[in-house]
Amino acid sequence: MAPIADLHHHRSTTKAFHKPFKARHLTKSKVESSERGTRRTPHQQVMSKFDRRNQAKQKRMTNHADHVKATSVFSGRDGAPRTVAVVPLCEGLSASAAVKSLNSSLDVEDEVPDNGWVRMNVDRFKQKLQYIVVGRRDLLQALDACRVADFVVFVLSPEQEVDETGELMLKSIESQGVSNVLTVVQGLDTVEPAKRKPQVVTSLKSFITHFFPAQEKVHSLDSRQECANVVRSLCTVTPKGVRWREDRSWMLVEEARWPTSEGNQTESATLSGTVVLTGVVRGRGLKADRLVQVGDWGDFQIEKIVAAPLESKRRGKEDAMAVEEASEENALDQPTVDQDDLNELAPEEIAMEDAAAYPVSLAPSERKGVLLDDHHYFDDDESHIPNMPKKLPKGTSNYQAAWYLGDVSDSGSEFDDVEDVDGDLDMERSAVPADGVEGLQDMPEPTEVGASEYPQSEMFLDPSPDEEAEQLAEYRARRKDEAEEDLEFPDEIELHPNVLARERLARYRGLKSLRTSQWETEEDKPYEPEDWSRLLEIGDYKGAKSRVLREALVGGVTPGIRVHVHLRGVPLTLQGSYNPSRPLALFSLLRHEHKRTSVDYSMTLASEYPAPLRSKTELIMQCGPRRFVINPLFSQAGNTPNNVHKFDRYLHPGRTAIASFVAPLTWGAVPALFFKQSSPAATTGSNSDATTDGNLLIPQPTLELIATGTSLPPSMSRIIAKRIILTGHPYKIHKKLVTVRYMFFNSEDVAWFKALQLWTKRGRSGYVKESLGTHGYFKATFDGKINPQDAVGVSLYKRVFPRTARVWRPEEGRRDADMDEMVPDLVA
């Protein structure tokens, strides 16, 4: 049957639109109409061809101006040389041979020392190069050379792998901060068969890119063309510099002139004089008003700065001497009344503090309880403590409550809800139980004023001394095994039964919250270090840093000028430690960088370090141009409302902590290296710092890089709180009422620490209700039933102050390695 034709249909509910015309580009009228009335950025505007050309021209001119500004210090007849540090990474390589190979590509046959520095002119590129030859694989010498270098050339071997010493040098140089890096291989033509050469070069490139990913090629010193390419890069590439170094003025010392001492050796040991250091100013302008740091010698004041031009073909020796004599009379810069002094601490105040100014809380003998937050509870003066809410019939007003002298209930039950009128029982809860109330979240509120559930008819008897000692030894042996298994209580200590806790822990206090409770600083004044009040305190670090850095931009001797810097007050005993073959650098300190304060460093322990690092361990830290011997205190990082940070006894491998100590200030984020010192190695011959006649100099120590870090803003108000945990054993449990033992060993200690909050590792909280007997047993009420296998703890805190660092001297006496492994004192 044929289908019936549709005679009628309804209109579609949706309106059909025709497809628009698909054009790839909008017409000019469409573009103008769409942009009419809208404001677009220059990147969103459609620029004409003329505007695009003009913009490209402006970018070229800006880049050229930046390039000229960066390289202007190297241009001209009297321009500064480009400093190149040549560092061998494998045993048996020669840095001086590498420099000779680079010179031979330019047909230059200058003499190159095995250890030291040499300057040469490159006429092809109209530049001057100054090579610092690191003759032997000495870590400190390599760090000193790379610290002042514009380019660092690493020399690799095609046959030997980089050993531990070479990797240590690479890691240290990378962490210190390095400018442009080039890599060369020495003796590639000795590889047999010849078809292995590309494989060797590829392997060396893979190794060096692990430390410096920007490396594109490993150049061969056996190829004249590649050596010429390396020299071209050294003469034409703009050094990127090091951020912390560019904010200061520095100079590679080329010559040191010491005053002649006419007295005997004993008298000259106590004398000091004016030493003249010669070099080319780099970085910022060198100011005579600022102090300078010279190698590991220390900080000194500048007497004057005079010009010291080099001899040239156009300017003969006599002309150069005449210019130098004239410049001696006309100094480039001299100190003013604004010159920094050498005082590390603020002047000591003569006025004595009035004894009445100290708070009463500084007399521990007059107190009846431990300090909790900012209150001493259970004292005669308890006006600061809020009234305990009463147990009242429901609906009782404030006026009616004044007529009730005790707890009154309108029902027969003793466990009605307590009406918290003033809201004094509310607690904030978060974190872990040992941190206070914030670690007790998702738990019911404690019923402090509820009636006791402990049977009133039970009488408590003290156990015999022998029985109690046996039970205590058995309990602590079991607890020690558990701590070795899971380390749940890293801050736990055990008190001797014959030691009074209130005397041993007199400096400790309680905190309701580690992160939010106010720390009463007046209690710490008797225990402050002697010079703590004389340290530098910075209110606005960010603003002060900006002012100091802006001040360094203006004035001083222009970079690129060769000068004589006259230093006053240099001990003449340092002349014996000066070795011209080792690189010596002069760095200008920013304002206030000589003054001591409580400094903080972010410190990350190397993951390959075999064991945790104990706090207060003696380390050698290098930060910028200075090295110190430090005993850092480790604490947790982060920002807290009360600026209280928990002290860490150990820094574990791969983790980061804040290292605090007292040392001179360092402005900005400057990378820091932390070394651990081992016994020194004294050698002679080519592998030592020996003079030309073969005399042995001071042996150099063996350093191990264990951690890296960065300087942080210093803070005198940062509180490092050392926590200890006293734990007890639940002896008897009756619902929420528990008898606890082994936390204290006499009733006086129970009364002293009664105000502190108790907690368990499973998150319960409670308080001490009353003491039982004379052996330290006590009743405690908790906010819920506890497990018999649980442990009851209480947290105590005391403030620890950072230790003072001292300047590191390479020639100072070495300590035995056994001194670093001391028995930890958890309570000292």
Side-chain angles (χ1 to χ4, degrees):
M1 180 178 179
I4 301 174
D6 294 336
L7 300 178
H8 177 74
H9 66 278
H10 291 281
R11 194 174 73 177
S12 176
T13 57
T14 58
K15 187 175 181 181
F17 292 94
H18 296 289
K19 293 183 179 180
F21 178 70
K22 296 181 179 179
R24 289 190 176 182
H25 307 287
L26 295 177
T27 61
K28 293 183 179 180
S29 60
K30 288 288 186 181
V31 173
E32 293 177 357
S33 61
S34 61
E35 293 183 354
R36 188 177 296 115
T38 60
R39 185 175 182 180
R40 296 179 178 272
T41 62
H43 297 284
Q44 294 173 330
Q45 293 178 356
V46 178
M47 302 174 61
S48 64
K49 187 176 183 180
F50 176 79
D51 293 337
R52 291 196 301 270
R53 286 183 176 179
N54 186 37
Q55 186 183 49
K57 181 181 177 182
Q58 290 178 352
K59 290 182 179 179
R60 288 196 305 269
M61 294 177 62
T62 302
N63 294 336
H64 179 69
D66 295 341
H67 175 75
V68 170
K69 182 180 179 181
T71 58
S72 60
V73 68
F74 306 118
S75 61
R77 184 181 61 181
D78 297 328
R82 294 171 179 257
T83 307
V84 183
V86 184
V87 182
L89 297 179
C90 300
E91 190 70 28
L93 297 179
S94 174
S96 61
V99 176
K100 291 178 181 178
S101 300
L102 296 177
N103 291 341
S104 63
S105 63
L106 303 175
D107 298 329
V108 177
E109 300 296 336
D110 291 350
E111 189 67 23
V112 179
D114 293 336
N115 195 21
W117 64 272
V118 61
R119 181 193 291 108
M120 57 190 57
N121 295 326
V122 183
D123 297 333
R124 180 184 301 180
F125 302 104
K126 298 181 181 180
Q127 294 290 320
K128 291 182 284 292
L129 295 180
Q130 187 175 19
Y131 290 102
I132 303 177
V133 182
V134 181
R136 64 187 186 91
R137 297 192 304 163
D138 181 14
L139 176 61
L140 295 181
Q141 184 178 357
L143 289 175
D144 293 341
C146 297
R147 194 162 50 188
V148 295
D150 300 311
F151 298 90
V152 178
V153 178
F154 292 112
V155 185
L156 299 177
S157 173
E159 298 177 353
Q160 299 181 5
E161 295 183 354
V162 180
D163 55 3
E164 294 182 0
T165 304
E167 290 190 5
L168 173 62
M169 296 171 64
L170 274 175
K171 294 177 181 178
S172 302
I173 293 172
E174 179 190 11
S175 302
Q176 172 185 253
V178 64
S179 187
N180 300 54
V181 175
L182 294 173
T183 308
V184 297
V185 55
Q186 192 176 58
L188 186 62
D189 289 347
T190 60
V191 176
E192 295 294 341
K195 63 181 181 180
R196 289 186 55 246
K197 294 181 181 180
Q199 300 177 2
V200 173
V201 173
T202 303
S203 176
L204 295 177
K205 179 184 176 183
S206 176
F207 170 78
I208 200 66
T209 52
H210 177 72
F211 299 94
F212 303 99
Q215 289 296 292
E216 299 179 353
K217 186 178 181 180
V218 176
H219 303 271
S220 174
L221 293 178
D222 298 334
S223 173
R224 182 183 177 92
Q225 181 62 37
E226 294 191 14
C227 289
N229 293 337
V230 172
V231 177
R232 179 183 291 107
S233 299
L234 296 177
C235 295
T236 58
V237 174
T238 303
K240 65 179 183 180
V242 184
R243 178 61 184 271
W244 66 267
R245 188 180 67 180
E246 299 302 324
D247 292 336
R248 296 160 176 82
S249 177
W250 83 91
M251 183 182 74
L252 176 63
V253 177
E254 302 175 0
E255 181 186 0
R257 290 187 297 182
W258 298 83
T260 57
S261 57
E262 300 178 357
N264 55 25
Q265 187 176 1
T266 305
E267 294 178 355
S268 62
T270 59
L271 295 179
S272 60
T274 301
V275 177
V276 182
L277 303 181
T278 305
V280 180
V281 179
R282 297 293 306 279
R284 304 296 185 191
L286 181 60
K287 298 182 180 180
D289 287 338
R290 302 283 82 84
L291 300 178
V292 292
Q293 165 79 21
V294 182
D296 295 323
W297 296 358
D299 301 341
F300 304 99
Q301 288 180 320
I302 296 179
E303 185 175 292
K304 61 179 177 179
I305 303 174
V306 298
L310 284 173
E311 299 180 17
S312 62
K313 296 180 181 179
R314 298 181 181 180
R315 184 170 54 218
K317 184 176 181 180
E318 297 180 357
D319 296 340
M321 294 179 60
V323 172
E324 185 172 352
E325 292 177 358
S327 60
E328 289 286 346
E329 300 177 357
N330 301 324
L332 297 178
D333 195 10
Q334 289 183 342
T336 62
V337 294
D338 193 32
Q339 186 180 24
D340 296 337
D341 53 24
L342 293 174
N343 297 328
E344 296 181 348
L345 302 173
E348 188 174 2
E349 297 180 358
I350 301 178
M352 299 181 61
E353 298 182 1
D354 188 3
Y358 285 96
V360 185
S361 58
L362 295 183
S365 59
E366 301 178 1
R367 292 301 182 183
K368 299 182 180 180
V370 68
L371 177 66
L372 179 59
D373 288 355
D374 54 351
H375 300 307
H376 279 277
Y377 289 88
F378 310 117
D379 285 352
D380 295 334
D381 182 15
E382 298 184 349
S383 58
H384 58 277
I385 303 178
N387 295 327
M388 180 63 67
K390 299 179 180 180
K391 194 176 185 66
L392 302 173
K394 294 183 178 180
T396 304
S397 63
N398 294 335
Y399 174 77
Q400 293 172 335
W403 295 90
Y404 292 99
L405 300 181
D407 294 341
V408 178
S409 176
D410 56 355
S411 63
S413 175
E414 295 183 353
F415 307 102
D416 290 342
D417 296 333
V418 178
E419 183 179 358
D420 186 10
V421 180
D422 299 328
D424 297 325
L425 300 182
D426 294 336
M427 298 183 182
E428 296 182 3
R429 300 162 183 259
S430 62
V432 295
D435 291 339
V437 295
E438 54 199 8
L440 307 172
Q441 59 183 2
D442 300 331
M443 294 292 177
E445 293 290 339
T447 56
E448 289 193 16
V449 296
S452 173
E453 299 178 11
Y454 205 87
Q456 300 294 332
S457 60
E458 182 175 345
M459 182 177 61
F460 179 81
L461 298 176
D462 288 327
S464 62
D466 296 339
E467 180 182 359
E468 185 178 19
E470 182 180 355
Q471 294 177 359
L472 176 62
E474 180 182 357
Y475 168 72
R476 287 188 170 176
R478 185 175 68 253
R479 292 283 297 134
K480 187 172 298 183
D481 295 338
E482 294 176 1
E484 292 176 356
E485 292 177 1
D486 54 11
L487 297 177
E488 292 187 19
F489 294 98
D491 300 321
E492 178 183 349
I493 67 168
E494 295 177 351
L495 294 175
H496 194 274
N498 298 328
V499 174
L500 297 179
R502 62 185 181 277
E503 295 181 359
R504 181 66 184 275
L505 308 178
R507 290 183 55 187
Y508 286 84
R509 69 185 72 185
L511 291 179
K512 295 180 181 178
S513 171
L514 177 62
R515 293 175 176 84
T516 59
S517 293
Q518 179 183 359
W519 188 278
E520 184 63 32
T521 56
E522 295 295 334
E523 293 282 339
D524 302 320
K525 286 190 176 297
Y527 310 106
E528 287 181 353
E530 181 180 359
D531 298 328
W532 184 258
S533 60
R534 301 174 60 190
L535 297 178
L536 177 65
E537 188 170 359
I538 304 173
D540 182 13
Y541 175 82
K542 190 174 182 180
K545 173 190 169 185
S546 300
R547 290 192 298 269
V548 170
L549 294 181
R550 286 197 304 267
E551 181 186 21
L553 295 174
V554 183
V557 179
T558 306
I561 300 178
R562 191 172 184 268
V563 296
H564 292 308
V565 181
H566 296 251
L567 303 180
R568 67 163 68 108
V570 181
L572 299 183
T573 55
L574 295 175
Q575 185 175 1
S577 62
Y578 173 64
N579 186 2
S581 62
R582 293 182 63 90
L584 181 66
L586 179 146
F587 278 85
S588 177
L589 302 180
L590 299 176
R591 187 184 290 270
H592 306 303
E593 281 195 329
H594 182 71
K595 299 178 181 177
R596 289 182 174 268
T597 184
S598 177
V599 297
D600 301 319
Y601 284 79
S602 173
M603 181 175 175
T604 302
L605 189 62
S607 57
E608 61 269 12
Y609 193 68
L613 183 64
R614 185 174 179 267
S615 185
K616 304 177 187 178
T617 301
E618 184 174 283
L619 302 175
I620 296 176
M621 184 203 68
Q622 173 183 312
C623 180
R626 297 183 285 193
R627 297 187 180 103
F628 299 101
V629 179
I630 63 174
N631 301 90
L633 297 181
F634 301 140
S635 59
Q636 294 179 352
N639 297 324
T640 57
N642 56 359
N643 204 15
V644 177
H645 304 269
K646 179 183 170 298
F647 168 78
D648 291 336
R649 289 181 173 85
Y650 290 93
L651 177 59
H652 295 273
R655 296 186 180 181
T656 302
I658 303 299
S660 302
F661 49 92
V662 177
L665 168 68
T666 300
W667 294 107
V670 180
L673 306 179
F674 298 90
F675 299 95
K676 197 169 184 180
Q677 182 172 285
S678 58
S679 58
T683 56
T684 57
S686 60
N687 196 29
S688 66
D689 285 340
T691 56
T692 55
D693 57 351
N695 295 331
L696 179 67
L697 292 182
I698 300 170
Q700 296 299 321
T702 302
L703 302 180
E704 178 187 3
L705 179 66
I706 64 172
T708 58
T710 308
S711 62
L712 301 175
S715 176
M716 293 286 294
S717 60
R718 191 177 192 271
I719 297 174
I720 303 176
K722 184 176 183 179
R723 178 169 69 187
I724 64 170
I725 297 176
L726 300 178
T727 57
H729 176 244
Y731 181 52
K732 291 183 180 180
I733 302 176
H734 183 78
K735 296 184 179 180
K736 299 181 181 180
L737 194 64
V738 182
T739 300
V740 182
R741 63 175 179 176
Y742 301 153
M743 182 179 291
F744 306 106
F745 298 95
N746 55 76
S747 58
E748 291 80 4
D749 288 343
V750 176
W752 179 267
F753 295 100
K754 187 177 181 181
L756 300 180
Q757 185 183 32
L758 304 176
W759 51 267
T760 68
K761 65 179 182 179
R762 289 178 170 83
R764 294 296 180 185
S765 65
Y767 68 97
V768 178
K769 188 173 183 63
E770 60 180 345
S771 177
L772 297 176
T774 60
H775 291 189
Y777 289 56
F778 62 87
K779 288 183 182 180
T781 302
F782 289 87
D783 58 353
K785 297 181 63 175
I786 68 173
N787 193 297
Q789 302 298 326
D790 208 344
V792 181
V794 62
S795 300
L796 291 167
Y797 302 88
K798 79 168 181 179
R799 184 177 183 180
V800 289
F801 292 91
R803 297 189 176 185
T804 303
R806 69 178 189 275
V807 178
W808 182 74
R809 307 285 185 185
E811 63 274 7
E812 66 182 4
R814 306 299 189 263
R815 295 186 179 183
D816 295 334
D818 297 337
M819 293 294 292
D820 296 335
E821 304 295 337
M822 301 190 314
V823 179
D825 187 3
L826 298 180
V827 196

